Each structure stands twice: as structure tokens, then as C-alpha cells.
Amino acid sequence: MPTNFTVLPVDDEGAPKEGTSPDEENNLEVVASGDGIPKESSPFINNTDIDKGILYEGKNLALFEEELDRNPMVSSLLNRLANYTNLTQGVREHEEAENNEEPRKKEIKAPRMGTFIGVYLPCLQNILGVILFLRLTWIVGAAGIFGSFWIVFMCCACTSLTAISMSAIATNGVVPAGGSYYMISRSLGPEFGGAVGICFYLGTTFAGAMYILGTIEILLTYIVPSAAIFKAQDPSEENTALLNNMRVYGTCAITLMATVVFVGVKYVNKLALVFLACVILSILAIYAGVIKTAFNPPDFPLCMLGNRTLAWQNFDVCAKFSIEGNETVTTQLWQLFCDSPYLNATCNEYFNLNNVTIIQGIPGIASRVIIDNIWSTYGPLGEMLEKQGIPSVPASEDASNTGLPYVFSDIATYFTMLVGIYFPSVTGIMAGSNRSGDLKDAQKSIPTGTLLAIITTSFIYLTCIILFGACIEGVLLRDKFGESVNGNLVIGTLAWPSPWVIVIGSFFSTCGAGLQSLTGAPRLMQAIARDGIVPFLRVFGHGKANGEPTWALLLTAGICEIGILIASLDSVAPILSMFFLMCYMFVNLACALQTLLKTPNWRPRFKYYHWTLSFLGMSLCLALMFICSWYYALVAMVIAGCIYKYIEYRGAEKEWGDGIRGLSLNAARYALLRLEDGPPHTKNWRPQLLILLNLDAEQNVKHPRLLSLTTQLKAGKGLSIVGSVLEGTFLEKHGDVQNAEQNIKSLMGLEKTKGFCHVVVSSNRRDGVSHLTQSSGLGGMKHNTVLVAWPELWRQSDGPTGWKNFVDMVRETTAAHQALLVTKNIDSFPTNQERFAGGTIDVWWIVHDGGLLMLLPFLLSQHKVWKKCKMRIFTVAQIDDNSIQMKKDLHLFLYQLRLDAEVEVVEMLDNDISAFTYERTLVMEQRSQMLKQMQLSKNEREREIQSITDESRGATIRRNSARPSLDFQARSPDDVPNEEAQLIHDRNAAAHSSAAAKVSLAPEGVHMTWTKEKISAEKNKNKELLSPEGVRDIFNMKPNQSNVRRMHTAVRLNEVVVNKSQDARLVLLNMPGPPKNRQGDENYMEFLEVLTEGLNRVLMVRGGGSEVITIYS
């Protein structure tokens, strides 16, 4: 963790030295204590509040001295947490700067909002709104009391269960400002968080559009109908004219409201209580009007022609005739149904057959109208509103009803559609959690205030349904725009003391709700943008200097305009229902996951939750989505899915301890336990690779094309473990390990290699590779194939250790029943960006060791690099084989394997061994013998020196017991020859250099004793080994016949392969195993070198001993 130090020069008394001004002294930040121990610098601890005193006094915690550099004392940590604030550091510094510049400004106080003001009232204001005033009476008229009750009950149950889940999440630790988005994203991870966060933002934005449309509908329909710009010339065009007026006025309203929010958002927040007061007064007026209907119902007559409801707009008297003096004259209603005002005029048939009657639109709660309104009265688009129970004589034809003053339904009504329209009226339960940063005790206020608000609003909705059905006539309930009561708001006709109370109150409440949406949605988008999980949205994280989200406000206004252009409140409501339901569904999912996974950090203070309730809430949300509108639900899911995959594709690098990660761990554990049951079936076998990389001194990968080949071979499927070995000890090399892993992971990302990185530290490379081969992977998810590059410089730079390590690795993979892939000339292999336009992949099938040789070219051909390469299979026929029959059998075998490849059988006759083969074998053995003798001489010499050193050390110990120290320089130089003594000293120092570096007190002197016999024997041994006679024996030796035969096979097979496959894009061939006799390991490397000589790209394959390909389905 980086820690900043500021050096403050002090004199002996601790005061600043001369030359330091008082301002500079105040600005200097003392981050280190007097004893040199730095203070903690952590993003979770606000350093500005750290006491400028000493971090700790005395040495009571001396045992933990070095730990305090990184970890704070418990007392200091608790002190910081007690003074926790959710303001970001930049905001704090900005506020402090403003306080310094403006001394008169009042000190910023800690948030003190309680449950009632901070949660209950905001939730109440957001839940009660436009649907209650404009659509609830219509829903009761269409669905009936019983159907409406179920609609409200389902929606309120959904929000209640969601509120329980939200309360559990909100009380599981401190919830910073960000509310619902913060809870979802930190519980479900960046992918789900980004997807659901954007859906929640879209829901809030479309809610703003719905509120604005409600405001314009109230304005143009009930307050100033004459303000309409588009006027219908024909009754059939009224709906189109209304929509056009909504678009024009809605666009003006969104522009005005966005300007208000941009200029002075603080005034919007201050007017929130005014808007809430309008809502509460309107609801009280409704209840007062219901009580009044019990003894004095209001006079709102309905004009009925037969059982059909008439729109009371273009006539004054509900009658066919009127008496003026002693004369009977026709009324305006007569003229609407007849072609002239005279009594002998031709009138509509239904008008002639039925009488005109007047009924009361609000008969009162004491009437029995509740019985008529219990059951539903759904109808199609354009249906005339008819009242059951009034006599009616049907006409023979109704073709001429168009243009007559009937009240028609403007939309088809059915249960699921009404659910979609009603659900926005119960949204708003997140208002309290969105203000979590302003609450005095969020963990207590959010559950209490939210649940109380839901209970209150549910009671209001359910009682209003019953009271509306008990007081208002059914046909008036179904009259959406109040045409039958002279264009009055239906719910306003019930209110007391005047319908205008509801009209004005609903206008201001919907206007205020629209402003609140335009205020909250941009901040939600700003929070998503600043999280950085959706890269193309980062621009919307910027704003004005005071933090106002200007760009996000413009985006919100633009999306709101889309809802305005739809222009129909009934069409916009289901859209935002989808987004809110999806948000609520994932809140329930987050709570259920955290509860089921029993993560240690899941300790909510709110105890009244259970995973079954969360699961029920999630299921109910999903069901309501498809009940409301199945196609809208699919569109919302596709949008969320696209955002999820985009964030996943771009690689969300946020680690929030989310529940999805915990679910993945549990699923992985379950799957790994299942895989332990037994080995995979042949049909399920695929190469699970362990890629062994070599690193240079800077921990960079030497052969990056190995990862390119891995990607081409795996195509993102199966397991890939990229491993490497660093020599040394882990305590010394842990920094290099992190650097190496970072380099490997960055290269894996560049090469699009999906897998894991594993770097180990070992005392030597041989043991490190063995550890990787044995222990990589977990349970049944272990590698079955090792991919490694051929050691190109095995003869020169690596020395004997290099090829010995390689041969031992081959033996270990064979013993572990793991396949081995060895690439030769790996740097010439194609990158992932290259594309071969043609060519062949040649397979030389010499022996069958499981069929991996057949499977690899098929897997490679699935990648774009090798897709256009054809596969050719060569097999070798001996002199006793029937090559024609072999070719037929191979064709049949490939056909059953469903592999498309050309087949060729190459005949290798048993020719005599050539002089070239004999000579190459001889040179190989001579070189091997010389290396062996040189190595033997070196080893024996070192063993002798080590024994002499051990004896000398023993003599030193014995002498030290009698005499404390002996001076090495005091001995005569004649006792030990100079070069031999130096040799002993060098060997001893090399063997014990690391130990000597850690010991502070070494022996003062060491007395080493040489005898003349030992010195002369050592010299004679060296002379004998390097004498001319010894060298002459090497050059007079004869090659081993077994080696000659092996070399003959390698040379002959190489000639055939080069002849047939020299121009191939890739050559795959069986890799022979090492000899059982370890003395021939260096010859084995020579054989492989000869076998692959003259080929460009070679992949040597050694099977794991089990079948990996089958002809059966």
C-alpha cells in the first residue's frame, strides 16, 4: 500500500527549523511518527481526520512493530470507523476549501434525517401519483372490484416481498449514496449490476415521461381543453388529435422541466413537500367525498339512450323533446341523431326505438351499486359503454353509430393489460434507499419507513377500490376521460368540497413527480458511468463543477422524449413496468443468493427475511412481467442480456464481493466433486493443457507463440493452465513471481487465451517442472496434456542440465499418463491474426497411442488460422505389410471417425545402413563419451574437495574447543599449494554463500589440512583423465549397434517426411519415448533432432496411453 512521507526538519526541541513559514508549517502533513513508523494510508480511512500526534507510544506492541507499517492499530481503526462519512475525498476537500474561502458559511452538519422525513414521506410521494388519479377508477370499472382487488394485491405483494429483500441488503453494512443500484451491483457483480442498473435508469426515465404525459392530460382534458392546438373535425379523429397535442405540449414540458433541473435542482427538492401536500390533500378530499355520499350524494347525472351512455358535451338537455309554452320542440340531442330539427325528421333507428333516461353517476355509498360493480366488464376497442339492467330495444343495424354522441372505449381492456398499466402506481419503494446517504440511521430507517409506506399505500389503494365500486356507477367508472359528466375528472366528481381539489392537486403532484424523476435518473446514470463498468457511458459521469450531471441530464431528457412521442400514458406504463419489475426481480435474487450461500459477510440487522420469501418475490416479478406484456418482457430481457454480455466481453475488472461470484464458487465446487467420480469418457475427452513457458531475466515470455498455438487449439474451450518456474526461494522471489504472473496474464489477454496462470519457485528448474506436472489443477479439473517448446539450444547454452530436464519431463508425463506436445521452431508458428489461404496439415501416424494425433488437426481446423488447410494422413508400411489394404482400412477408419483427410501409405524398404548413418552415430557417441568423462572428472574432483573440506571443518571444530580462534594467515604457505587452496576456498564459499550472508558473526579463522598423498592422487587422476591415451581411446571406439539402428530409423524416416511434407503448413508426428537406460538420454535428444531436421513447423505428439477418439456416437 503506498504511503506518502513529508520530511519536516526539526531541531533538538522538536520545533521547526528557521526558514519554515507558519503557512508551510500548517500545510505540511506529518505522516510518519517520531520512530519512523508511517501512518496508515487507506481509502477506507480518512487521513484528514488522523490526529497529528504520535501513532503509538512506548514499546508495548514492539512485537508488531513491522506490521504497523501496513496494518493500523485496532484503536485507530475503530476511531476512523466511528467518524465514517460516505462523502468521497474530493467532495470533502471541496467543501473544506469552500469553508476556508467563505468563513461565514455555516458548518456542514452530519445528516440527521429520520425515518419519517427521510424514508416514509418520499416513498409515499413516489408511490401515490398519476395512476391513482387518472386510471384507478377506470381499472375498477373494467376489472370490477374483485379483479381490481387481485391486481392491487399481486402488485403490492410483489413490492412488499421486494421491500423485505431490500431491507435485508440495506441493513447488511453501510449503504453509501447510490441506493438500489449500489445494492444490486455490489450483491450481483458488475455484469448484473450494470445491466440491472441501466434497466432501473430506463424505468426511472420512462416514469418521468409517464408523469409528464399525465400532467399534459390533466391540463388539456380537465383544466384548459381550449388550449389544444390540434382539433378534431370528426369524432373519429379525436384520439389522433389528442395524441398530437400530447406530443407538442409534452416536448415543451420536458424542455422546461430539464431547464429547471439544470438551473436550480435545490428548488426542486425544496418543493417536494409542497407536491406531497397536494397528494395528501387530494386523498383526504376523496375520503371526505365518500363520507358525504352517504347522506348527500353529489349531483352528476348521466344521460342514457336505452342502455347506452351518451357523451354529455354537445347538448344541454337529456331529452328528445322539450315544452316551450304550449309547443313541443326538439332538443339539441334530437338534432345529433336526426337529419333535421323537425318532428318528421329521419332519425337513427336505435334513437327511435329507445327512450332517453337520466341516472345518477354517483348514487352514494348507501346505494346497492357495489353489487353491480363486483365483476369485470372487459370489452374490445371501440365498444359503446352500456349499463346492464336498463331496458333496451336493439336496432337492426348499427353501421351509422360512427359520429353519434356515444361514449366509446378507446382501448381494448383485459386483465393482463390492466396489470401493466396499474403496476407503475406501486413503484417508488426505492425512494428511501436512494436517500441512504442523508439518513441518520439508514439500517433502521430504510426497512421501517419503506414497509410502513407500502402498508399505508396498499391500504389506500385497496380501500379506494372498494369505495369507488360502492359509490360510482359502473358506466361512469369505465368512462376514462369523463365524457359522460361533461368532461370532468371521474375521481374529481367524488371529491369534496370541489372536483377542482383533485384536478389541481393531481396536476401539481404529477408535475412534481416528473421533476423528481428528471432529478434522480441523471444521478443514477452518473453513478453507473463513474463505476466505469460500461465504457461507452463514461462521458455521462462528467458534469458541472458542483457535480451536477449535465450530460446525464441531456441523455435523460432525450430518452424521456421517446416516451413523450409515444404520447399514450396507457402505452408508456407497461414499458416502465418491465424495467422496474426486472430491477425488483434482481433485488430478490440478490437476497436469496446471499442467504442460500451463507457467505460470512451476510449478517443483516433486519432479521425478518427468508430465502423463500425472496424467491417468491423473484418468481412473482417474473410472472408479472409476462402477465403485463410478454413481448415487452422479452425486449427488456434482451436489452439486459446485451448489456450483461457487453460488460462481460469488455472485461469488468471490478471486484465487489458479489453473490454471483459466490454462486460460481459453489457451482465450481459441486462440478469438481462430480468430476471426481471417474475419468471422462472418450467422447468427452479434450486436451486440457498445461503450457510450460520459459521466462527471461525480466520475467518476459520467451516464446509467446506457444500461447497463440494454445488459443488456436482450444478455441476458448476446456482447461488451460499456463505455468512457469523461477529458480530460487519464494521469500526472495515473490516479487518476481508477481511480475511474471502479470506479464503472462497480459500476454494471455493479448493472445485471447482463456485459462489460469501458475508460477512456482523451486531450487532448480527440474523440480519446479515436476511440481507443476504433478500438482496443477484441482480435483477432476486437472490437465491431461503438457505443451512445451523444444529446447533449441540443448547442445550449447543450457548444458547437460537442459536436456536432462527435458528427458525427465518426458518420462514424468508418461508415468502420469499425460499426453505431451512438443513444438519445434515455435517462433515460426502463426499468430492468431494470420490466415493461411491454403496448404496442408500433415499427420505422420507411425504408432497408435490413443488417437491424439488424429484429434489435434481437427481441433486446429476449427480455428480461423488453419480453417482452409487440408488434412493429410501418412502412415508407414514395412516390407511385410500390404500397403493397398492398409490404405483401404485407413480410409474406412477415417470415415467412421467423421474426419475428412487425404490418405497415403509410404513404403519404407529395409535398406542397408548407409555410411552417413554410421558416421553420424559414431560422432554422436564420441561426443557423448567426451561429455560424460568431463562431467565425471568434474564430479569426482568436487566430491574429493568436499570430503577434504568436511575433514578440515571437523579438525577446526576440535581445535576451537581447545583454542578460541586460529589465524589462517599465521600458517605457512608451504602447507597448502596455492591453486589447490584457492580451489578449496572457492568451492566452500559457493556452497555456503547464502548461509554466510545471513550470519552476522563468522569464525575468525579456519585451519584446513592437506596431506601430500591426497594432493598427489588428485593431480594424477586429472592427468589420467585428460591424457593423450584417454583421448585416443575415444576416437578409436566403435558405435553401439542399437544406436546405429535407431539413427538409421531417424535418418530414413526424416528423408521420407521431408520428401512428402517439406512444404506443409504443419507436420505432426509421433514422438518416440526415451530409452529405459538413462545412460543414453543424450543420444535420445540427437535422435529427435535428426528426425525433425529440415522441417519448418513440427508438433511432436506423445499420447497419454488412453483412447481419446472413438468411432461410436
Side-chain angles (χ1 to χ4, degrees), residues 289-348:
V290 170
I291 296 173
K292 181 177 179 294
T293 61
F295 52 87
N296 185 17
D299 183 22
F300 279 98
L302 301 180
C303 185
M304 308 293 297
L305 176 60
N307 63 352
R308 297 177 181 178
T309 308
L310 298 178
W312 204 322
Q313 292 178 351
N314 296 321
F315 59 93
D316 52 356
V317 179
C318 182
K320 295 181 180 181
F321 314 102
S322 63
I323 304 298
E324 293 183 3
N326 292 325
E327 185 178 359
T328 301
V329 296
T330 59
T331 62
Q332 293 178 349
L333 181 63
W334 176 281
Q335 298 177 21
L336 294 175
F337 284 91
C338 302
D339 57 0
S340 68
Y342 303 108
L343 294 175
N344 59 353
T346 303
C347 299
N348 178 268

Side-chain angles (χ1 to χ4, degrees), residues 10 78 268 376 401 412 539 599 603 620 698 748 807 855 914 1090:
V10 296
L78 293 177
V268 177
S376 62
N401 288 334
V539 64
T599 53
R603 301 184 300 274
L620 188 56
E698 302 296 329
M748 290 173 66
V807 177
L855 188 61
S914 64
V1090 172

